[in-house]
Amino acid sequence: MLTAENLRKSYAGVEALRGVSFEVRPGEVVGLVGENGAGKSTLMRLLAGTQRPSGGRILRDGQPVSLASPRDANAMGIAMVFQEQSLILNLSVAENLFLGQDGEFVRHGLIDRRALRRAALHQLAKVGLDIDPDRRAGELSFAQRQMVELAKALALEDRVDRDLVILLDEPTSVLEQAEIDLLFSRVRDLQSRASFVFVSHRLDEVLAISDRVYVMRDGAVVAEAPASAVTPADLHQMMVGRGVRTEYYLESRQEPPRSDVALAVRGLGQQGAFRDVSFDLHRGEVLGLAGVIGSGREALIRVLFGFERPDAGGMEVEGQAYAPRSPADAVARGLGFVPSERRTEGLVMTLSLGANITLARIREAMTPWGLSRSKEQALARDWISRLGIRTPSADTPCRNLSGGNQQKVVLAKWRTAGSRVLILDHPTRGVDVGAKEEVFRLIRDLCDEGVAILLVADTLEETIGLSHRVLVMRDGAISAELPAPAGGKPEQVRIVEHMV
Amino acid sequence: MTTTAGKGRASARLWTSVPWRALAPVVVLAALCIALGLAADNFATAGNFARIATSAAVPAVLATGVTLVILMGGIDLSVEGAMAVAAVVAALVLVAAPGALGAVAAAFAALAAGAALGAVSGAIHVGLRAPSFMVTLGTWFIGLGLAVWLVGGGTVSVRDSELRVLALVRLGGLPLSVWVALGTVLIAWVLQSRTRLGRALFAVGGGEDLAAQSGVPVGRVKVAAFALAGLCYGLGAVLAVAQLGQGNAEIGTGRLFAAVSAAVVGGTSLLGGHGGVLHSLVGVLVVVVLSNGMILLGVPPYLQQAVQGLLIIIAVAVSLDRRGQGLVK
Amino acid sequence: MTLWRQVPGGLIRRRTLLQGMAGLAAVGAMGRPARAQDMPTLVNSIRSLSNPYHATWNQGGEAFAAAIGAPYVTLVTEGDSEKGIADIRAILQKTGGNAVINVDPNDAPDARPIVEACVQAGAHVLTQWNKPADLHPWDFNPNYVSHVSFDGVEYGGRTAQVLIDAIGGSGGIVALGGILSNTAAIDRRTGLEATLAANPNVELLDFQVADWQSGKAFDTTSAWLTRFGPDIKGIWAANDDMAIGALEALRAEGLQGQIPITGIDGIQTAVEAVRAGEMTATVFWDPFWQGAMGLSIPYHARTGTFDPAAEPPEHREFYGSATVVTTENAESFYAEHIAATPQLDFEDLWGRVSGQIRQS
């Protein structure tokens, strides 16, 4: 039995967890759902010992425990299978399985490799993985690595004299369907040996595997229910916490798109990723792209922006043939890309906000005597107020801004650069609720200016709320196209049925 | 995103599964030897091989030390400083205490000096979370300064000391120093592949955070690696003092470049996690055979430097492929 | 380095001005005849007291000061040009310019500010080894008395001649040079080549660069043994450290003492090797002489024994004569210069002048 009582965690004054109570009983699979930023990952980190709570208690079988490190958590029978996989790729499977625990294989100061191999085979058998333990982790597929991690977590049962709790953080996000099925069957097989906490975005999966589900929102648990008693729609309702939220997405500002086509795609395909994709994107339109991971939508936007080349089909931008060889080509043709990895691609984090804004417009701040600081400041202040960026001053380095404010700066950069087609890749990932609304407002502003937007959003709700039309992709092809005009938004379920 | 990563990984798998790639440095060494054997009559003679082995002894010991640190994804620039201080300490002890006992004491004092400087590097690197590059740059000059201070920039002659048996007594046609170097590489290889510390070095090189999460005591591992590296530099200094019959602060000059380039040429990735001391031994042999061969062929001095530089660039280009592999993960 | 040095330069100019004023005051005081308490302070400015070369230099200075009964000060730069210059300014300030200064500048550019400070303070100065090519004593009469250096071309050639004599005037030799671009390395190699040109029966089998280092010289010599074997009759090295490396490579094969080796610089290990018959020659620059006569010459200019302005150029910028230590004179050399305190005639100002420094 693992219990969390009134757990709190704040990062630099921002509360990520606001008093969470949580319980895992022996042999149980507990689902944990919530929107991004609801606090799921934070809770996992506290339980796994990678971070320490700011308040509250964690109890194991009724005894309060202090989990200062993953090692402590392991000693308490708690192990985590990380979302970002935690195998060391240059080590062998066997070495990974017993990393940090290889003391028990030391004979006369040397590691007994045969014993290590035997023990590794034993652990791999538990999860039904038939691979050579001497292979390097880097040579395995993602699914195999996940199984190795699971085996590594299960290895605890030989060392710890209590029931295990294994935390699975988004384990299915990188897996194919067949691999997910395999994982689930293993989890069910292992239920007699360990309890599991299962974190996922995919509500149907969560309900399929879990005995009980916790719903989190804004750093707190808002609901707890037996999995058999709720539907995905119920869960969603609880996660979002509001009913129909038309105004959240500024639906009243959604104007019909213009008639001229900004980007036309015809029969586009890339071997092994997607095929026969055709659509028109009009000026002033938001076209949402829905699909599960692996549906081909990520590959599609990479081809559209010139990161990769298609094998088939063609594209036109404003009526002219468009075959980008690089992102620079794409930018030259008036395309813009807002990546989900803002930190590495969107902003120069060490430069000040003002410098980032004026980076592309440096000429406006030039005088015959060089760069005018007062002009630069005025320019920056102007944009800060126009964008509603919350910052102490224009001199604040961008890395000190919140995710939402960073995203606003990135959007502002493309807006001022005059991009006519913008590809938004998860624009609200890691952005707090208030700032999300400002990002939505910016998207509407861009539409009013006639910019065409292709949107890959974090949640289906966001896709529907913001888009004029939704394209659904499944297994590399477009499976449906649904109109989403203001006042006539489609139901999520109608989209989901085309996704899977 | 998923697709590209998938492709990259597939090619990486193909890359690493080709066995010749890991053996490339050995192939290069063999090719070099065959080419030189054909081009220079006296290259492939027992006498010349013994000379090559003698010249390789000190670099091999130094490269072994550097490799332990590079495997962790760090870098150790303190080779020359540690050697300087260890060599000067050894020479001073030899002068103060003649005889066989003095020689043993001098060797141990030099090893201790090297290990201590290495431990200081490691402790500062871990304690202050300072990049190993900066820290060891500092200890390099600390070591050099200490050595100059100890002997005032002069040279201590130990021409007739007992320590010189290492260089002057031969066993199986090779000076004892060659056997000492071989033994060192062997011990380091066992340490690297068969002990917990060795595993930990690779783990830290492969992913420091992940290793820490798995309970590897990263800080202690790092200090131990730097101290062991320092021990190797101390040993290198002992062999150099025995070989040259003198100790001074200059004894290590130029050795850092040789040691690091040998490691790189041998296929140890500067990003950590790949390679090992045997790779570096092959790298040392490539570098030493090449410079021996160039003198045998009468290559002009300025061209020799260019060829050595070219060798490094090629080796780095090869390790850049590994870097691409690293980015995929 | 250049940048780093230029920045404090601004500061120094202001200080120089102040010191110039102090110098004027000193000139006023100099009208009186010299008495014992007016003896100039003798100053040796050298790199460090802990290296044997400069330690011997300092002993020379002490010996001269004791002989004339003058106060003596040693300044050490510890390799720091700023410190070297600042210390000299301080002593000029303290003595009111009544000083005789013998300086081995840390770096060639240091010589100019040092000379200028001495001239303005009214002190007499002699520089050794390093100075900019366009800085000449005759442009600063009478205070900048002389500059002394040693001729790499000459001694590179002379050691080569000793080597050739040792191998009987014919056969093959190999040569180890210093870092390719280094002035001293170039000079010494030039001397070697001149001597070879005069000895057509001697063949230079190979010339390799060992960067002044014994370790590299060891490896190069080993490879030479493979390549040339018994054809190597002699080994010329541009410095003693490389000569020692070559010697030890021979010793590793039991060949020490069988192939003549020459070096340059006169470091202790090399002198010992010459005594033991394992090296044939090295060149001893005589730091004792440099420390003593570097003071004696400007002292005698200050006290009026001679007028620098009236001296010929070969007394103002000259090469000193060094001692070529060979197997013949090694024992007596050791006895005179290393085992005992050397004896010098401090009045013999120009006895070791071996020609004016070449203007390049």
Side-chain angles (χ1 to χ4, degrees), chain A residues 71 89-90 111 152 308, chain B residues 4 9 194 214-215 273 329:
Chain A
R71 227 188 155 103
L89 300 186
N90 60 323
I111 289 175
K152 185 176 172 182
E308 288 172 27
Chain B
T4 43
R9 211 165 301 109
R194 296 293 303 276
S214 299
K329 78 184 170 187

Side-chain angles (χ1 to χ4, degrees), chain A residues 70-71 82 86 88-91 95 99 102-103 106 110-111 113 116 136 139 142 145 152 298 302 308, chain B residues 1-4 7 9 13 190 194-196 199 202-203 206-207 210-211 213-216 273-274 329:
Chain A
R71 227 188 155 103
F82 288 88
S86 67
I88 297 182
L89 300 186
N90 60 323
L91 297 188
E95 287 167 356
L99 189 62
D102 39 13
V106 173
L110 300 181
I111 289 175
R113 281 197 280 196
L116 185 68
R136 292 202 173 190
E139 298 169 19
F142 268 121
R145 287 187 212 167
K152 185 176 172 182
E298 280 82 7
R302 289 180 67 81
E308 288 172 27
Chain B
M1 296 294 247
T2 325
T3 23
T4 43
K7 276 181 190 166
R9 211 165 301 109
R13 215 175 300 148
V190 170
R194 296 293 303 276
T195 68
R196 300 185 69 187
R199 292 300 156 90
F202 280 96
L210 303 179
Q213 276 174 4
S214 299
V216 173
H274 296 275
K329 78 184 170 187

Side-chain angles (χ1 to χ4, degrees), chain A residues 171-479:
Chain A
T172 57
S173 61
V174 292
L175 300 186
E176 313 276 331
Q177 190 57 48
E179 296 166 340
I180 293 173
D181 294 342
L182 185 71
L183 175 70
F184 282 5
S185 75
R186 294 286 172 252
V187 167
R188 280 190 204 98
D189 293 347
L190 294 166
Q191 238 172 304
S192 57
R193 301 177 130 158
S195 357
F196 290 87
V197 177
F198 182 81
V199 178
S200 178
H201 274 110
R202 302 184 189 179
L203 303 182
D204 48 343
E205 280 176 6
V206 174
L207 291 179
I209 191 74
S210 305
D211 301 313
R212 211 153 47 86
V213 182
Y214 284 93
V215 183
M216 290 187 73
R217 188 172 72 223
D218 297 337
V221 170
V222 291
E224 183 232 322
S228 54
V230 286
T231 65
D234 297 337
L235 284 185
H236 197 268
Q237 187 79 17
M238 292 186 267
M239 279 162 59
V240 176
R242 18 185 141 67
V244 186
R245 295 189 300 166
T246 52
E247 250 343 90
Y248 183 56
Y249 296 106
L250 305 166
E251 212 176 305
S252 60
R253 285 193 54 195
Q254 181 174 333
E255 301 287 336
R258 306 180 194 185
S259 59
D260 32 351
V261 175
L263 173 69
V265 175
R266 291 291 174 268
L268 205 63
Q270 190 191 36
Q271 189 70 42
F274 60 88
R275 63 189 182 277
D276 199 23
V277 170
S278 302
F279 62 86
D280 285 332
L281 174 60
H282 300 85
R283 295 188 61 205
E285 182 180 35
V286 178
L287 180 61
L289 210 50
V292 298
I293 288 173
S295 63
R297 59 176 186 165
E298 280 82 7
L300 174 62
I301 61 175
R302 289 180 67 81
V303 167
L304 292 179
F305 200 62
F307 287 111
E308 288 172 27
R309 311 256 192 102
D311 305 324
M315 298 175 274
E316 283 181 7
V317 169
E318 291 165 341
Q320 306 287 316
Y322 166 67
R325 301 170 148 270
S326 69
D329 280 357
V331 171
R333 293 295 297 274
L335 271 75
F337 185 71
V338 176
S340 52
E341 298 289 325
R342 285 185 304 278
R343 284 184 185 283
T344 51
E345 295 174 44
L347 286 176
V348 185
M349 285 293 160
T350 51
L351 278 184
S352 72
L353 171 63
N356 261 297
I357 290 178
T358 54
L359 207 53
R361 322 171 53 83
I362 198 88
R363 279 206 195 106
E364 291 180 29
M366 291 301 279
T367 70
W369 301 276
L371 189 67
S372 159
R373 200 164 146 66
S374 58
K375 272 194 173 188
E376 189 186 2
Q377 288 266 331
L379 199 63
R381 272 199 300 276
D382 180 34
W383 278 103
I384 289 167
S385 68
R386 278 162 81 173
L387 297 171
I389 296 168
R390 285 191 294 267
T391 171
S393 83
D395 293 329
T396 308
C398 271
R399 69 178 126 79
N400 294 358
L401 296 179
S402 71
N405 283 314
Q406 285 174 1
Q407 195 64 301
K408 281 190 262 180
V409 178
V410 176
L411 280 169
K413 267 177 63 182
W414 288 116
R415 187 175 171 188
T416 60
S419 295
R420 294 179 300 280
V421 178
L422 271 186
I423 299 170
L424 307 185
D425 181 9
H426 298 97
T428 56
R429 180 168 285 179
V431 168
D432 63 65
V433 177
K436 267 185 193 171
E437 289 182 46
E438 308 235 21
V439 170
F440 299 155
R441 188 168 61 81
L442 267 169
I443 290 175
R444 293 294 180 214
D445 288 349
L446 289 163
C447 281
D448 290 349
E449 289 165 18
V451 175
I453 293 175
L454 190 68
L455 173 72
V456 174
D458 251 8
T459 64
L460 211 47
E461 182 189 312
E462 199 174 297
T463 310
I464 296 169
L466 287 170
S467 303
H468 293 80
R469 268 187 306 150
V470 179
L471 284 179
V472 188
M473 289 186 76
R474 183 173 59 203
D475 299 333
I478 291 179
S479 55

Side-chain angles (χ1 to χ4, degrees), chain A residues 140-171:
Chain A
L140 305 182
S141 72
F142 268 121
Q144 286 173 320
R145 287 187 212 167
Q146 193 139 41
M147 285 299 170
V148 173
E149 290 208 49
L150 193 55
K152 185 176 172 182
L154 277 171
L156 275 182
E157 70 184 352
D158 299 341
R159 296 200 302 272
V160 179
D161 186 25
R162 56 172 88 228
D163 59 306
L164 296 189
V165 177
I166 296 176
L167 313 175
L168 300 169
D169 188 10
E170 300 272 0

